[in-house]
Amino acid sequence: MVKIQFQSIHIDEITQTSSVNNGTNRIIGRRHSEKVNQGLGEVKGEQNVILGGKHLVQDGDTFDVKPSLRKS
């Protein structure tokens, strides 16, 4: 058995199917796959006005979610 011990832990965000477990945990039969595309940009300068912005995320993947073949 592997033992991992932290002095402290800080969690910024728990989303979707995330979990925080404490103590002795045995999670069987749970599986989750997810893919998220995000586009980040920056507007610099003074007195900027943005009207009707268009956003493009180039996603070069040949698949969106790879199925997990491994059982938990």
Side-chain angles (χ1 to χ4, degrees), residues 1-66:
M1 178 201 257
V2 175
K3 182 177 181 179
I4 300 173
Q5 186 173 355
F6 296 98
Q7 290 289 55
S8 66
I9 186 168
H10 175 83
I11 300 169
D12 287 322
E13 181 177 11
I14 296 180
T15 61
Q16 313 253 337
T17 59
S18 301
S19 67
V20 176
N21 302 294
N22 183 18
T24 302
N25 299 285
R26 187 172 183 177
I27 302 172
I28 299 173
R30 301 288 182 194
R31 190 181 310 175
H32 176 71
S33 296
E34 177 181 4
K35 178 181 175 194
V36 176
N37 292 324
Q38 295 182 348
L40 301 174
E42 187 175 359
V43 177
K44 291 185 176 183
E46 297 177 11
Q47 300 178 355
N48 293 303
V49 177
I50 301 172
L51 301 172
K54 303 258 183 215
H55 309 280
L56 172 67
V57 175
Q58 292 181 322
D59 181 6
D61 294 344
T62 57
F63 53 83
D64 281 337
V65 177
K66 182 178 180 181

